[in-house]
Structure formats: structure tokens, C-alpha cells
Amino acid sequence: MTVTETPRSPLEDRQHHAENAGRVGAGAFNARQLWLSLPEALRKLNPKHQLKNPVMFVVWAGSALTTVFAIVEPSVFAILVAVWLWLTVLFANLAEAVAEGRGKAQAESLRRSKKETVARRLTEDGSEESVPGVDLRVGDLVVVEAGQIIPGDGDVVEGIATVDESAITGESAPVIRESGGDRSAVTGGTTVLSDRIVVKITTKPGESFVDRMIALVEGASRQKTPNEIALTILLSTLTIIFLLAVVALQPMAGYSGKEQSVIVLTALLVCLIPTTIGALLSAIGIAGMDRLVQRNVLATSGRAVEAAGDVSTLLLDKTGTITFGNRKATELIPVGGSTMDDLARAARLSSLADGTPEGRSIIELIAANHGLPETAGDNEKLAEFVPFTAQTRMSGVDLGDREVRKGATSAVRQWVRERGGAMPDETERIVDEISQQGGTPLVVAENTAGNAFVRGVIRLSDVVKPGMKERFEELRSMGIKTVMITGDNPLTAKAIAEDAGVDDYLAEAKPEDKMALIKKEQEGGRLVAMTGDGTNDAPALAQSDVGVAMNTGTSAAKEAGNMVDLDSNPTKLIEIVEIGKQLLITRGALTTFSVANDLAKYFAILPAMFTSIFAQLGALNIMHLATPQSAILSAVIFNALIIVGLIPLALRGVRYRPSSASALLRRNLLIYGLGGIVSPFLGIWVIDLIVRHIPGIG
């Protein structure tokens, strides 16, 4: 027995994600989150934590230094600079604490779903023993019946049952889990609603998916990604350059008889180094992981999320991803001397007892187009149903001396010949046309009183999901190649690929074919992403750069991939790529803003600082800042406040729009580059209008 779960449409999927986001407490950013995260931000003032971020450690050291000088030689200017430098460090910590706080809210929701259970473990002699769930080991067999909680992650090795996974996935509808297929995996903490299953434990205590997910969203297992490390090195280099630039100012000022104080030089350094992106870098990475978790995707590391953003080839299964999976009857084509009415009646009769999706769609088509009833009449109820088998490749009914069959062309042809009939030549032509157009032909034949003949052909269409062509076009505009993987014959695969709008396809695909395709793409320098759920998908999932395993799949598939989709929705791979892209775009946009912001602050405050030394610089003081002290203090205040202002953007992410790399660069320069240049001039000017009135500053 095999029960399939109907995949959601993209719109339904997004609504489902939104509901899940609300369930785990990852709501939109608000001021309350800042207040709740403040204690954690204060704890992060520990120098051991600051050492992890070189840029912010320089700010922390500068804050400590100015505090010492403010105590030794107190002044309004020194005290205010010291206070705002500490606030700069605090606001940077706050950005990270808010991001982690959202994850902790999710973790708390998941932690509540964990329940300590008593497991019914099977012994070698087949008897049962009750043991605590934490004592289970890999390979143990446990019995779980209706109303009981599954004690650990594993695979169903015996039986079939409906399982409530709402505590983990947020999906209220129960799912089917059964032995011997690709929907055998179960998650610890979920509840069996019916029947009895035997589960083979596949994870150690404390290493279940829920445990790993809790560690992930709390940030305990988050490690810096290669791009993040590279950016940290770049920021550290810029910090050293600006440090040398500030140090070089002192000899020049001393030569002019206007040496600057340590407080002024420290404040200037903090304003010029890339504190904005340095403060937000960690929050951006955490928020990217958070967006994945909101969509019920468990990534083993931030590296996988980042790789998703750099993916250039997507391997997508046809069934359930590109198409709905259940083929639907879309047309009846009579042949020979049969009329459309004759074919409709024969096709309906052969499908009345056919409970497959294809059989039901035939009944619905005939009822809609020919007005025939969807239910069997009293006489038709006496018919003997002949089920489909892999050997006969046909199904139908026997009613008195009348036999009606529908099925594969070759099988029906043989059936007709055995009863003395023949298949019309036009049937072969129609069958070939349907196959070339991506459809599946079913031939309908009848044998009445020893007279066997073909009534016609039913066209079954594998319907492409709405909007898929547009989504593939968006991916193409981003330089991402899409490849459809299917077991269909090349003719059918080609037709569906053209209808869906994918760039390429792999027909009659076997596991080794997927592996070969992935390696070929990777040899060309491309990063490859794919989805899978079966044990035979494990090698390809392990080979791909982003392997998304379905939670309903086997443990082998989940261990091989670097992401697990708890919703088991194959179309989510496209969303995962979009989330990865958004992470990289957000990091790039805020880096552009930060660098432009630092350069703008340099040219905004230096003229005001040195006008008294070099009168010619007065012409560059376009904002007419009151005094060097007000210029420095205004810049320090702006430098701190801009971090708070950008926290929502860092957590929410820059809006994702499919575009080419060149278009993205132009957008970053126009919006964030130009914004980074303009905002310091406006912000420092406004703040200076206020601080110039403070005694000892103006």
C-alpha cells in the first residue's frame, strides 16, 4: 500500500510558511525585541566575546581608552564621546542579540515539543521491554501504537500508520509513514494516530533532528562561512589602513602646533573604520539561518545556506516538483468506427472501479464533457473489476459477455489480437503524437460476444504547476541553469521540459546518471543543488553542493544531504536558493553602504576638525559644523545610531529581486552606495544642530 501526500502550490506553501513563522515566534522585528535582547547585549560586552569580531574589538578598546581619559581629565566632550562609543559597542551586540533572540524563541517552541518518553524496545527473543527513550541506541527496534509518542528518530521497518507531526512541522494534517518505501522516516517527538509500527532507531540520544534544530536556531552550532571569514579579513584590513591614516594625522597636527587629544583620535578612528557592517555581520548570518528555519528547513551549517546563494545549477525532479505528479485525463480520441459517445461510455465503464488518480480523472472528464454519471448504476455494480497489474499493464471490467479494457498500447494490442481483433493504424499514429507532446496515451478496447475492437485513446497529461515557467525564467535571469530529472522516455521528457521552461532535462534517469550529471556540472565550476528522498538519491545528495533531503525520506538520504526539509515539499529548493541569494545580497548591500558611509564621514568631519589649522579647509566644511568638538561628537553619535537603524534591514534582509550580477551591482551602488554617502552628511548635520548647544561642545 502506498499513500502519497499531495504537494502544495507555491502560494499555499508560502501561506504555510507564514503560519509556521508565527507558530515559532519569529514574528516581524519590533522595538520590544530590542528591549528584551538588552540583557544579552550587555553580557556580550565581555572582551572574550568582542575578540571574535576584530572591528568591534577595536571599538571596545577605544571605548575603554576614552573612558580612562574621561576619568583622568573629565570634560563634557570626553564623557559624551566615551558614552557614545560604549553605546556603539552595545548597539552592535544588540543586533546580534536580537537575531539570536528570534532563534531562541523558535528553539523554545521546539524544546516544548520534546517529550521524555518510555520506549517499548524489542529484545532478541521478540519480547518487549520498557526503557527510557534516552537509553535507546542506534539499531534498536521499538514498537509504537496509536496514541503513543515516537521515542526517537528512525525508519519504519514494519507496518503502516498515520502520524501527527504538527509539533515539529506545524502542519496539522496527519501524514502516512510506512515500511519499505521512501516515506519511512519518522521523527522523535511526533505522535502515532493509528495502527502499529516498528521503528528502527537511527540517531543517538541528543543528536535527533529536533536537538540539532534547537542547537542551530540558538546559534550554538553556527560557524562563520567562507565568505563571512573573507569579509572579516577585508574589514580587519580596512581597520588597519584607517588606523594608520589616523595615526598619520597626529604628526601633521603637531607640526602645525595643534596636536589632537587621544580622545579625538580614538573617536575619529571609530568613525572611519567599517563599524556598520562589522556590527551587523553576525546578525545577517544568523538572520539568514532564521529565515530557513521559519520555512521548516534544517541546515547542518551556515556554509550550506551560503552555498545555496551561489548555486548555478538546479536539479529538479519532474514529479511533484515541476508537475503535480498525478496525471489527468484531458482528451478522448475515438478511432475506427467508434463515436465519441461510444468511447466515453466504454472509458467510463472501465474506470468506475478504478481508484487511482488517473481513473478518477477519467470519470470527472466524462462527467463534465458528456454528462454521464460519476457513480455506477445498479446493473454496472454487478460488473467484475479487473485491477491493473505490472504484468498485464491494463485494467477494466467484465460485465456479462462484455469485456472493456484500458491500458498501455502494446498490452491492449496483444489483448485485442488474442481475441481475434486488430488495432487500427490510426491508433498508433495518435499514440505517437500524444507521447511526442508529453502526454501518456491509454488505449480503450472492448470485446463483445467475441468481437474485439479498439474504441479509442485517452490522453493523460502530466500537468505543469502554475507559475513554474515564470519562476524558471527568473532563475535564468540570475544565471541559474535548471535541469529536470525524470524517469520518462526522452520524447515525453522533452515535451514537458519545453512546457515547463527548464533549460535542460535528463530522461530515464538512474542514480548513476544523476551522479554523472552533477560531477559534469561541478567540473565546469558550477555549484549544484538538488532534492531527494530515497536511499538511491543519497550518493547524488552527498555529491551536490546543496543537497536537500525530504523529511519523509530515508535516513540515508537525510544523512547524505546538508539540508532537511521538514515539510517534504520538493519545490522548496527554489525558495532555499532565493534565501541564500538574499543572504548574500544583504551582506553585499550593507557592506557597500558601510564602506561608502565611512568614506563620507571622513570627508564630512575632517574639514571641520582642521579648519583652525588649515583655513583653506573651511571651504570644504559644507555642512558648517560648529566646532571640531561638535563635528567629532556628531559623527560618533551618528555612527552609533545608524547601527540601530539598520538592524531591521539586517534581520529582514534586502528585498530579493531576480537579476543579473551587473544589474545587482548597479542597484547596490545606486541605492546603498549613494545612500551611504548622503546619509552621513544629513545625519551629522542634523545632530550637530543639537549638540552645538551643549556647554563645552559648541
Side-chain angles (χ1 to χ4, degrees):
M1 176 179 179
T2 301
V3 180
T4 58
E5 296 164 24
T6 304
R8 289 182 290 267
S9 69
L11 176 60
E12 291 171 329
D13 197 44
R14 284 192 287 273
Q15 292 172 340
H16 168 70
H17 297 329
E19 293 168 359
N20 276 347
R23 173 182 66 86
V24 297
F29 174 81
N30 55 63
R32 183 170 178 269
Q33 288 178 315
L34 290 176
W35 177 254
L36 294 176
S37 302
L38 186 58
E40 181 63 25
L42 291 171
R43 283 191 288 270
K44 289 179 180 291
L45 289 174
N46 187 320
K48 290 183 179 180
H49 178 81
Q50 296 301 318
L51 276 170
K52 299 177 183 178
N53 189 332
V55 176
M56 295 315 300
F57 179 73
V58 171
V59 181
W60 183 92
S63 303
L65 185 62
T66 55
T67 301
V68 172
F69 278 92
I71 294 173
V72 174
E73 300 178 5
S75 67
V76 174
F77 174 71
I79 293 172
L80 287 177
V81 169
V83 168
W84 279 100
L85 288 182
W86 280 117
L87 286 175
T88 303
V89 181
L90 182 65
F91 292 160
N93 293 343
L94 196 60
E96 184 176 1
V98 169
E100 291 177 350
R102 288 151 62 96
K104 288 177 180 178
Q106 295 173 327
E108 183 58 32
S109 175
L110 290 168
R111 191 173 281 111
R112 287 196 298 268
S113 72
K114 289 188 62 180
K115 297 182 176 68
E116 296 299 332
T117 59
V118 174
R120 298 164 55 188
R121 183 167 61 187
L122 292 176
T123 61
E124 293 183 359
D125 60 5
S127 61
E128 294 183 14
E129 61 176 355
S130 296
V131 298
V134 294
D135 290 344
L136 292 175
R137 294 294 179 264
V138 176
D140 285 348
L141 298 178
V142 296
V143 177
V144 190
E145 294 184 338
Q148 296 179 343
I149 296 173
I150 298 173
D153 293 355
D155 291 328
V156 178
V157 295
E158 180 183 321
I160 179 173
T162 54
V163 179
D164 176 12
E165 296 185 339
S166 59
I168 307 299
T169 66
E171 179 62 65
S172 58
V175 296
I176 301 294
R177 295 292 175 261
E178 60 183 327
S179 62
D182 289 341
R183 294 184 178 272
S184 60
V186 290
T187 305
T190 57
T191 305
V192 173
L193 299 180
S194 68
D195 303 295
R196 174 187 183 275
I197 54 175
V198 176
V199 177
K200 183 178 182 179
I201 301 299
T202 57
T203 59
K204 300 177 182 178
E207 297 181 5
S208 68
F209 278 112
V210 175
D211 292 315
R212 289 164 59 188
M213 199 169 187
I214 290 172
L216 173 74
V217 299
E218 284 187 325
S221 62
R222 197 187 89 85
Q223 297 178 342
K224 287 187 177 182
T225 62
N227 282 354
E228 194 172 347
I229 293 172
L231 184 54
T232 300
I233 295 173
L234 172 62
L235 298 180
S236 301
T237 304
L238 290 176
T239 299
I240 295 172
I241 292 173
F242 280 119
L243 175 62
L244 295 175
V246 170
V247 170
L249 290 175
Q250 187 70 322
M252 184 170 57
Y255 178 79
S256 303
K258 295 284 187 179
E259 284 192 1
Q260 301 295 315
S261 67
V262 174
I263 291 178
V264 169
L265 294 175
T266 302
L268 179 61
L269 173 63
V270 170
C271 290
L272 299 185
I273 63 177
T275 52
T276 306
I277 185 62
L280 298 173
L281 189 58
S282 180
I284 293 169
I286 295 172
M289 302 286 282
D290 175 68
R291 283 190 287 275
L292 264 187
V293 175
Q294 287 181 38
R295 287 161 175 80
N296 272 2
V297 177
L298 173 62
T300 58
S301 68
R303 184 188 296 266
V305 186
E306 195 171 85
D310 284 329
V311 158
S312 49
T313 301
L314 286 185
L315 304 187
L316 301 163
D317 277 333
K318 182 204 74 172
T319 305
T321 304
I322 296 174
T323 67
F324 283 110
N326 294 332
R327 296 170 298 177
K328 296 182 178 180
T330 54
E331 186 182 6
L332 300 180
I333 306 173
V335 298
S338 297
T339 64
M340 182 65 75
D341 187 62
D342 292 334
L343 174 57
R345 292 182 181 279
R348 171 184 171 274
L349 184 60
S350 67
S351 305
L352 281 173
D354 187 352
T356 64
E358 292 85 357
R360 292 194 299 271
S361 72
I362 293 172
I363 295 295
E364 292 169 0
L365 175 69
I366 294 171
N369 294 348
H370 302 279
L372 297 177
E374 295 188 30
T375 57
D378 293 337
N379 184 52
E380 293 168 334
K381 291 179 180 179
L382 301 176
E384 180 182 353
F385 177 60
V386 180
F388 176 90
T389 66
Q391 290 73 32
T392 63
R393 293 188 297 156
M394 295 185 302
S395 65
V397 295
D398 293 339
L399 182 60
D401 62 351
R402 185 184 183 191
E403 298 175 311
V404 182
R405 297 288 186 273
K406 69 173 189 298
T409 306
S410 57
V412 174
R413 182 194 301 114
Q414 182 65 27
W415 184 83
V416 171
R417 286 178 178 174
E418 289 174 353
R419 285 153 181 77
M423 181 176 288
D425 294 338
E426 62 177 317
T427 306
E428 300 285 357
R429 177 182 57 79
I430 293 171
V431 166
D432 290 342
E433 287 180 357
I434 292 175
S435 298
Q436 291 172 1
Q437 294 167 5
T440 301
L442 287 182
V443 179
V444 179
E446 186 174 333
N447 179 34
T448 304
N451 181 24
F453 53 92
V454 174
R455 285 289 190 190
V457 183
I458 303 172
R459 181 196 298 267
L460 297 178
S461 300
D462 205 351
V463 181
V464 174
K465 293 181 178 180
M468 294 303 294
K469 195 164 190 174
E470 290 73 16
R471 298 196 79 176
F472 291 144
E473 185 61 38
E474 290 178 357
L475 293 171
R476 192 173 298 111
S477 68
M478 296 156 50
I480 296 178
K481 176 184 177 182
T482 52
V483 181
M484 183 185 77
I485 307 296
T486 178
D488 290 336
N489 64 71
L491 284 178
T492 301
K494 180 181 179 182
I496 295 176
E498 291 175 351
D499 190 23
V502 295
D503 298 308
D504 201 357
Y505 64 91
L506 179 64
E508 298 177 343
K510 298 184 289 294
E512 53 269 28
D513 298 329
K514 296 180 184 180
M515 281 286 290
L517 178 60
I518 292 173
K519 290 180 179 179
K520 179 181 177 182
E521 292 291 327
Q522 290 173 332
E523 287 173 359
R526 292 173 172 263
L527 296 187
V528 180
M530 71 163 288
T531 60
D533 59 1
T535 301
N536 61 350
D537 290 325
L541 286 170
Q543 179 67 34
S544 59
D545 301 283
V546 179
V548 183
M550 302 295 100
N551 190 42
T552 56
T554 61
S555 296
K558 290 192 285 188
E559 289 298 324
N562 49 25
M563 292 188 186
V564 176
D565 177 17
L566 298 179
D567 291 334
S568 301
N569 179 10
T571 61
K572 201 180 291 182
L573 177 60
I574 299 175
E575 289 189 49
I576 290 172
V577 170
E578 292 175 351
I579 291 170
K581 289 282 185 186
Q582 187 182 33
L583 170 65
L584 298 180
I585 290 171
T586 301
R587 189 184 292 159
L590 291 183
T591 300
T592 303
F593 180 91
S594 180
V595 172
N597 189 59
D598 295 331
L599 294 175
K601 282 183 289 186
Y602 187 87
F603 290 104
I605 63 179
L606 279 185
M609 287 180 57
F610 291 98
T611 298
S612 59
I613 303 176
F614 304 103
Q616 298 87 342
L617 291 177
L620 298 178
N621 186 14
I622 59 176
M623 295 181 292
H624 303 291
L625 303 180
T627 64
Q629 288 81 8
S630 71
I632 283 287
L633 183 58
S634 298
V636 169
I637 294 174
F638 174 82
N639 195 59
L641 294 180
I642 196 66
I643 294 173
V644 179
L646 290 175
I647 289 177
L649 182 61
L651 297 182
R652 185 180 64 251
V654 174
R655 184 179 177 185
Y656 168 77
R657 293 176 183 171
S659 59
S660 63
S662 58
L664 182 61
L665 178 61
R666 287 195 301 270
R667 177 191 174 202
N668 274 359
L669 292 177
L670 182 62
I671 298 177
Y672 299 99
L674 185 60
I677 293 174
V678 173
S679 59
F681 285 94
L682 294 176
I684 293 173
W685 175 71
V686 171
I687 295 171
D688 180 77
L689 294 177
I690 300 172
V691 302
R692 67 174 58 181
H693 299 294
I694 299 175
I697 301 297

